[in-house]
Amino acid sequence: MRQLTYAEAIREAIRNEMKRDPRVFILGEDVGKFGGCFGVTQGLVDEFGEELVRDTPISEEAIAGVAVGAAATGMRPIAEIMFMDFVTVAMDQLVNQAAKMRYMFGGKISLPMVIRLPEGGGLQAAAQHSQCLEAWLTHVPGIKVVYPSTPKDALGLLISSIRDDNPVAFIEHKLLYNLKGEVPDENEPIPLGVADVKRPGSDVTIVATGLMVHKALNAAKELAKESIEAEIVDPRTLFPLDKETIFSSVKKTHRVVIVTEEVKRGGWGGELAALIAEEIFDYLDAQIVRIGSLNVPIPFTTLLENYVIPNEIDIINGVKSIL
């Protein structure tokens, strides 16, 4: 095993696939000499050249459109949208083109493209640079949505995403980029649609995504001091979703708390809650608890931002409310 940061693991996955497949290339704002806004693509332009590591104008519409066209004609683009907030500008290309073309052409083409989407608060980047918009993408048939929480998962899931023949939205929480963790010596793919139990437990299931996985793990340590053992399940891919692993955990603990950083109203967490209620309601001994950001734009000031985004205390209180 080796130690890599989350950002280094993403870079290693990109490098691995660019060496393996000449059809893979990168495009986005400042991904070349600058190395990306968060340094993820640092050094790749020196290794692979400007033909395969392409700086673009500040136009998310163009970045996504080029990626769709390149994928439809045989390439495997990795497009970076600097902040997920601005996927809004590229929604026509993603929702009406990338997600639909393979279906509308009767399967005669594939759309092997990855769109990298740094998201989340915690950097005092304010309302237009801090949103978590994964629910918008999971709502659209034809797009796979991946959200790793560790360097190991980032490496393996990005390899699988690049090799997939369908559009993949690859979400990266900005506060995870400097997180260090163990990564296998061999760059092996992790299949999409397979959840991971990050911590075993018997009293309550906490399903968490992205940065919230780590907050849930911290909360679980505190709960354990009171003899409350929480099982932490990380879906890793929001679609396709590994319902079996999540359901198996809920059937064991009979209680579930869903923790996401997205705004709670209309979030992906609500979809998961509905699935649990529809399919395994009889196994529940208490109501489903959802924890998400408050229904307000993300504030700039640290104090207010910390108030809006879920924290360990929110998770602990959510668990205790159903025990």
Side-chain angles (χ1 to χ4, degrees), residues 53-313:
V53 183
R54 290 178 169 261
D55 281 323
T56 68
I58 304 174
S59 174
E60 290 79 12
E61 184 177 24
I63 294 167
V66 167
V68 172
T73 52
M75 300 295 284
R76 289 185 173 269
I78 304 168
E80 178 185 305
I81 303 296
M82 189 180 290
F83 290 86
M84 189 180 191
D85 311 68
F86 302 111
V87 75
T88 53
V89 184
M91 288 298 269
D92 180 62
Q93 284 74 11
L94 295 176
V95 173
N96 289 326
Q97 305 303 327
K100 308 290 192 294
M101 288 176 70
R102 192 173 190 184
Y103 176 82
M104 294 180 72
F105 292 173
K108 293 180 180 178
I109 66 167
S110 59
L111 264 291
M113 58 175 282
V114 173
I115 185 159
R116 294 182 43 240
L117 300 166
E119 76 161 19
L123 293 176
Q124 290 74 59
Q128 296 172 325
H129 295 76
S130 303
Q131 297 173 89
C132 296
L133 302 175
E134 53 265 33
W136 288 7
L137 298 175
T138 57
H139 183 71
V140 180
I143 298 176
K144 298 184 178 182
V145 183
V146 178
Y147 196 178
S149 67
T150 67
K152 176 184 176 183
D153 291 343
L155 175 62
L157 290 169
L158 184 52
I159 289 174
S160 290
S161 298
I162 296 168
R163 295 180 186 180
D164 201 287
D165 285 335
N166 300 283
V168 178
F170 193 87
I171 301 172
E172 307 160 11
H173 198 288
K174 298 191 287 286
L175 287 190
L176 292 177
Y177 281 132
N178 292 323
L179 174 74
K180 277 195 171 184
E182 287 192 339
V183 172
D185 292 326
E186 299 295 325
N187 294 336
E188 296 294 336
I190 294 174
L192 305 187
V194 179
D196 188 38
V197 177
K198 296 294 195 234
R199 182 188 192 276
S202 56
D203 296 318
V204 61
T205 297
I206 302 176
V207 182
T209 61
L211 180 65
M212 293 298 116
V213 172
H214 301 278
K215 293 188 178 184
L217 288 167
N218 292 338
K221 290 178 183 177
E222 294 303 311
L223 289 165
K225 295 176 183 178
E226 301 180 43
S227 299
I228 300 169
E229 294 298 332
E231 181 153 292
I232 312 299
V233 181
D234 178 0
R236 300 198 293 191
T237 57
L238 308 185
F239 184 82
L241 179 65
D242 180 3
K243 293 192 298 182
E244 289 73 19
T245 297
I246 296 170
F247 288 0
S248 176
S249 178
V250 175
K251 288 177 181 178
K252 178 177 68 173
T253 66
H254 307 291
R255 292 172 174 83
V256 62
V257 176
I258 301 167
V259 189
T260 59
E261 189 177 319
E262 61 186 346
V263 170
K264 181 178 175 181
R265 183 181 65 213
W268 176 87
E271 171 66 14
L272 179 58
L275 286 171
I276 293 169
E278 287 174 352
E279 299 190 30
I280 56 169
F281 178 80
D282 289 344
Y283 288 90
L284 294 172
D285 287 344
Q287 74 271 22
I288 299 168
V289 173
R290 287 192 295 138
I291 297 171
S293 291
L294 302 182
N295 294 321
V296 297
I298 302 298
F300 170 72
T301 62
T302 303
L303 185 65
L304 288 176
E305 184 178 42
N306 290 341
Y307 178 75
V308 166
I309 296 172
N311 58 39
E312 287 84 351
I313 299 301

